[in-house]
Amino acid sequence: MGSAPASETIYLPEGVRTAVKLLVVGHFAVGKTTFVGALSEIRPLRTEEVMSQAGALVDDLAGTRDKTTTTVALDFGRLTLNDTLVLYLFGTPGQQRFTELWQDMTRGALGALVLADTRRLDQSFDVMGVLEELGLPYAVALNDFGDGPAHGLDEVREALDLLPSTPLVRCDARDPVSSTEALITLVEHLLNRTGELEHT
């Protein structure tokens, strides 16, 4: 597991039989582009643009003083999870004005990983609300920025009003191992849900 050099992984292994589309979602500047880039075994597709003064008038830039670019369409990456399963990762733009765009991206997706920031937990509600309206299952991963409040997972679960069945984990979007573990948590959640639906 983990990312391999792009030049060695352009083509899928012959044994791959299942491809899964997953979304990586979250509010503005929560680390989605970093997460997809850390995991992708191919050179990730990015649609980043330099942030402008006009955008500053409509985007909440609190806590993002070092951010100079932003995703305006999507990030795309690929991760071969094992000999038979490949994940296609679609990172969505975080600004609220792009919500309609990423809603279209949910078509064909099996589920979503919501990246959250303990410094701005309240900004995750709109993202999770859209997923729930669309009926798309998700897990939540707290991206560790190092300077955020050190809340316990139980406190965060309560603050986000998560269902007991919704997975909540910590990750570092810069670290392929940590990010892979977060994705595996999502995939296991989706597989469990599929099994439960088949038995109802």
Side-chain angles (χ1 to χ4, degrees), residues 118-139:
T118 56
R119 301 170 301 178
R120 297 177 288 155
L121 281 178
D122 59 307
Q123 295 186 25
S124 297
F125 286 110
D126 288 339
V127 174
M128 294 187 302
V130 171
L131 294 174
E132 288 168 5
E133 287 178 15
L134 296 171
L136 193 66
Y138 62 90

Side-chain angles (χ1 to χ4, degrees), residues 18-31:
T18 305
V20 175
K21 177 182 179 181
L22 298 176
L23 301 188
V24 179
V25 304
H27 58 72
F28 179 62
V30 76

Side-chain angles (χ1 to χ4, degrees), residues 130-196:
V130 171
L131 294 174
E132 288 168 5
E133 287 178 15
L134 296 171
L136 193 66
Y138 62 90
V140 178
L142 297 177
N143 188 13
D144 182 14
F145 284 88
D147 60 349
H151 298 304
L153 289 181
D154 289 340
E155 292 178 276
V156 174
R157 178 176 293 280
E158 183 175 353
L160 291 177
D161 195 25
L162 297 178
L163 293 173
S165 59
T166 301
L168 173 64
V169 296
R170 298 184 187 279
C171 79
D172 182 339
R174 301 164 298 181
D175 177 38
V177 174
S178 170
S179 298
T180 299
E181 289 172 352
L183 268 186
I184 289 173
T185 297
L186 171 62
V187 171
E188 289 176 342
H189 175 56
L190 298 176
L191 291 174
N192 289 336
R193 288 186 82 258
T194 301
E196 290 170 5

